């Protein structure tokens, strides 16, 4: 099993009472089927669209407690895999509540790709930026690397020996402060450069510079990655129906009703313009 992707087999119990029993009878009593629900099942049966794809949502049940149960149904052929995307911050609740049924085959696996922690990934680069280091701390990590430092009076090139701190007076402060100095081994000897006078630092080692860029790219990817893909594998012969259900966090909602009262003077209950007397509630 690789460190970049772990497969986690999951056996879970759905938290919504009566859902599994509802499957056995062809549906959930409280659920609200989406438009074209049965037609979608028929289309899936004819095209096998669920194979190595995703299953369409056929029923959603919302609860005033702030959760909703989702039922997906479709058709698979032979050994197939269904891929579902979920929000990263909700993946734990979804996996704990998930129920997977294969009517005619068996569920082979349920898993998702788990990335290694960001701190561990950043620590693997030549420059460790996992703890949000300052520039002088980064330079301290680059001991032995060649760099060109620009100051107001010009540029200095050499090999970084390290960073040291010296106590110096600053303004009207009664106590001295620590000022970082970058020590470089140049062609003329060792030179100490106050960090206060540094305006630019260029790494002469292209590979090391690329390592720093890759570490920053890893940070950007981690920040942008807000979804996880759950892979559900089915094993069997021929075409058959499968179903997946789970509980997901939903906004708290309240129902509203509209009451349409028929006009007693019109037999079909509609007014002259096709409308009735209504009231909102």
């Amino acid at each position: 099993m690789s460190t970049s992707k772990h497969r986690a087999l999951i056996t879970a119990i759905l938290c919504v009472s009566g859902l599994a029993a509802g499957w056995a009878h062809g549906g959930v009593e409280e659920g609200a089927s989406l438009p074209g629900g049965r037609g979608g099942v028929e289309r899936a049966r004819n095209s096998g669209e669920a194979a190595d794809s995703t299953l369409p949502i056929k029923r959603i049940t919302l609860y005033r407690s702030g959760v909703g149960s989702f039922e997906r149904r479709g058709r698979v052929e032979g050994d197939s895999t269904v891929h579902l995307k979920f929000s990263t911050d909700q993946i734990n609740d979804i996996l704990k509540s998930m129920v997977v049924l294969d009517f005619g085959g068996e569920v082979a696996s349920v898993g998702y790709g788990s990335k290694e922690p960001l701190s561990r990934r950043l620590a693997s680069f030549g420059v460790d930026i996992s703890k949000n280091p300052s520039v002088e701390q980064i330079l301290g990590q680059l001991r032995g690397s060649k760099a060109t430092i620009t100051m107001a009076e010009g540029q200095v090139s050499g090999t970084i020996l390290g960073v040291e701190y010296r106590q110096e007076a600053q303004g009207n402060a009664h106590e001295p402060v620590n000022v970082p100095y970058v020590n470089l081994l140049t062609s003329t000897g060792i030179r100490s450069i106050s960090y206060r006078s540094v305006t630019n630092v260029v790494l002469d080692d292209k590979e090391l510079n690329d390592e720093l860029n890759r570490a920053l790219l890893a940070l950007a990817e981690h920040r942008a990655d807000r979804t996880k893909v759950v892979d559900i594998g089915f094993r069997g012969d021929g075409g058959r129906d499968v179903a997946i259900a789970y509980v997901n966090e939903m906004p708290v909602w309240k129902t509203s009703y509209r009451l349409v009262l028929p006009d007693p003077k019109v037999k079909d209950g509609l007014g002259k313009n096709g409308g009735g007397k209504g009231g909102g509630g």
Side-chain angles (χ1 to χ4, degrees):
M1 186 177 295
S2 63
T3 57
S4 61
K5 187 174 184 180
H6 299 277
R7 309 296 297 180
L9 295 181
I10 303 149
T11 302
I13 299 176
L14 188 64
C15 295
V16 179
S17 174
L19 184 54
W23 277 342
H25 294 86
V28 182
E29 294 298 329
E30 298 180 75
S33 299
L34 296 181
R38 292 190 177 275
V41 174
E42 294 301 326
R43 288 193 297 272
R45 287 175 178 172
N46 296 331
S47 64
E49 63 186 7
D52 297 308
S53 179
T54 185
L55 293 180
I57 295 177
K58 295 302 179 182
R59 182 161 296 176
I60 300 175
T61 305
L62 300 178
Y63 296 86
R64 285 177 292 181
S65 58
V67 298
S69 68
F70 295 78
E71 178 186 344
R72 293 177 178 266
R73 280 179 175 266
R75 190 83 171 169
V76 298
E77 295 285 341
D79 295 343
S80 304
T81 302
V82 171
H83 310 284
L84 303 178
K85 287 186 178 181
F86 299 106
S87 175
T88 301
D89 57 354
Q90 297 179 349
I91 191 68
N92 288 336
D93 292 336
I94 290 173
L95 293 178
K96 291 176 181 178
S97 64
M98 182 175 287
V99 167
V100 182
L101 298 178
D102 188 335
F103 304 100
E106 62 178 4
V107 180
S109 64
V110 179
Y112 70 97
S114 177
K115 292 184 178 179
E116 60 183 344
L118 178 62
S119 58
R120 184 186 304 173
R121 186 179 180 189
L122 293 177
S124 65
F125 293 102
V127 182
D128 185 4
I129 61 173
S130 59
K131 297 181 180 180
N132 192 23
S134 60
V135 176
E136 62 265 24
Q137 290 173 332
I138 292 178
L139 291 176
Q141 296 182 46
L142 298 177
R143 295 179 60 191
S145 303
K146 294 185 178 297
T148 299
I149 297 179
T150 302
M151 302 169 291
E153 58 268 25
Q155 292 183 338
V156 178
S157 297
T159 303
I160 299 176
L161 290 176
V163 177
E164 65 173 314
Y165 292 85
R166 302 177 185 176
Q167 289 192 338
E168 295 182 357
Q170 183 175 2
N172 297 325
H174 298 287
E175 298 292 335
V177 296
N178 287 328
V179 178
Y181 276 77
V182 182
N183 296 324
L184 285 182
L185 178 61
T186 67
S187 58
T188 58
I190 298 176
R191 180 168 178 179
S192 293
I193 303 173
S194 172
Y195 183 69
R196 291 176 176 177
S197 62
V198 174
T199 60
N200 189 36
V201 178
V202 177
L203 300 179
D204 297 336
D205 188 338
K206 183 179 181 302
E207 292 185 359
L208 194 57
N209 199 66
D210 291 342
E211 279 277 295
L212 183 57
N213 284 327
R214 285 197 294 271
L216 293 173
L217 181 60
L219 273 175
E221 290 176 348
H222 185 270
R223 185 167 53 249
D225 185 13
R226 297 184 177 91
T227 61
K228 281 187 178 293
V229 178
V230 177
D231 303 317
I232 303 172
F234 297 95
R235 183 184 298 122
D237 298 325
R240 60 202 184 277
D241 291 325
V242 297
I244 301 173
Y246 50 86
V247 172
N248 195 7
E249 180 182 354
M250 296 293 292
V252 177
W253 64 284
K254 296 176 66 176
T255 57
S256 61
Y257 303 92
R258 180 175 177 84
L259 180 62
V260 179
L261 299 177
D263 189 339
K265 298 180 181 180
V266 182
K267 292 183 179 181
D268 59 2
L270 298 177
K272 295 182 181 179
N273 296 324
K277 298 179 180 179

